Amino acid sequence: MFVLLSDYEGLPIALMEAMATGLVPICTAMRSGIGQLVVDGVTGCMWLTGARAS
């Protein structure tokens, strides 16, 4: 499991490296490149935070 909790990320290299080794990512859902890599429930888990959670 790889957890990436952040308010802003571009396209995080650490996330790509973790996925390449087979770790399942858990990330905050935000406007960034993370959505290009992590599909909620398919390739990982996206966690809603702040205003998006309400």
Side-chain angles (χ1 to χ4, degrees), residues 5-31:
L5 303 175
S6 181
D7 290 332
Y8 177 79
E9 290 287 339
L11 187 61
I13 301 297
L15 173 60
M16 290 189 276
E17 291 173 341
M19 292 177 76
T21 64
L23 294 174
V24 176
I26 299 174
C27 306
T28 51
M30 65 183 108
R31 287 188 207 153

Side-chain angles (χ1 to χ4, degrees), residues 32-52:
S32 70
I34 293 175
Q36 297 173 355
L37 299 171
V38 179
V39 178
D40 190 35
V42 179
T43 59
C45 180
M46 298 291 273
W47 186 265
L48 296 177
T49 61
R52 285 177 240 136

